[in-house]
Amino acid sequence: MSRIVLKAILGFVMRVLYRPKVEGMERIPATGPVILAGNHVTFIDSLFLSLVVKRPVYFIGKDEYVTGKGLKGRAMAWFFTSSGMIPVDRDGGHGGVAALMTGRRILEEGSVFGIYPEGTRSPDGRLYRGRTGIARLTLMTGAPVVPFAMVGTDKVQPGGKGRPHIAPVTVRFGAPLDFSRYDGMDRDRYVLRAVTDEVMSEVMELSGQEYVDIYATKARAA
């Protein structure tokens, strides 16, 4: 119920202010598990994705977003969980495994799982090398991957912080990718890299971003 209320209220406001343009919505399967994999340029990408997709979309998020104290902490927890975020401690030694298993559970329940293969927001607007968690998920579950691109959200919230600006936004979906030809090969690192790179290539075509073949975390640290 909280998801419906949030989507109705916030969705109305964002549609009036931003009038997001959606391309390729029909490419998202109406039923069954599906992975939505796209670029990540600013904090509000997940909000726009959840608002334009008709089916509920679930994401992995830092547990610190829902563990705040007081009224503000409870309000933030309600907002993020109502938006489809599932909190996971990603900073611990087993954070990556926990995130992977959570995504697997969501897909095995027949739901939609949203993921940013870059692993973090782009530090400069370019598209960075994808991490192979996306490949493990699709090979373990058999769920198709629908690539998507957020275009313009970096103008709405430059740098990923501060008060959002009014700017045009386009959410573009590509054709579903089927990797059943690699069935049973989810432990082969060459296959995992090939699948991940294919997904990122599709995202690059949809977004028009310049591609950089290093991890975004390394670029951010530099």
Side-chain angles (χ1 to χ4, degrees), residues 131-160:
R131 297 188 177 274
T132 56
I134 175 69
R136 294 182 186 276
L137 279 177
T138 185
L139 297 185
M140 286 191 301
T141 65
V145 178
V146 174
F148 72 87
M150 289 289 172
V151 181
T153 52
D154 56 330
K155 303 297 190 300
V156 173
Q157 197 176 36

Side-chain angles (χ1 to χ4, degrees), residues 7 15 20 22 25 47-54 171 173:
K7 190 168 184 175
R15 283 187 173 86
V22 183
M25 177 69 75
L47 281 181
F48 276 103
L49 186 64
S50 293
L51 290 172
V52 301
V53 176
K54 296 178 182 178
V171 186
F173 297 97

Side-chain angles (χ1 to χ4, degrees), residues 63-83:
D63 61 350
E64 64 189 58
Y65 292 148
V66 299
T67 56
K69 305 294 184 181
L71 181 61
K72 181 180 179 180
R74 291 195 297 271
M76 288 183 64
W78 176 84
F79 177 81
F80 284 113
T81 55
S82 298
S83 299

Side-chain angles (χ1 to χ4, degrees), residues 118 120-123 128-129 131 214-221:
E118 292 169 278
T120 188
R121 293 192 299 272
S122 170
Y128 284 82
R129 193 180 201 210
R131 297 188 177 274
I214 62 172
Y215 292 121
T217 49
K218 184 176 181 180
R220 187 183 296 275

Side-chain angles (χ1 to χ4, degrees), residues 32-36 56-61 84-90 94-116 133-145:
V34 59
I35 301 170
L36 300 182
V57 182
Y58 296 93
F59 302 89
I60 296 298
M85 192 199 86
I86 298 176
V88 171
D89 181 5
R90 299 188 302 176
H94 300 288
V97 176
L100 185 67
M101 291 301 101
T102 300
R104 181 176 184 175
R105 175 178 59 80
I106 292 170
L107 293 168
E108 289 178 343
E109 292 172 353
S111 300
V112 181
F113 184 63
I115 185 172
Y116 302 109
I134 175 69
R136 294 182 186 276
L137 279 177
T138 185
L139 297 185
M140 286 191 301
T141 65
V145 178

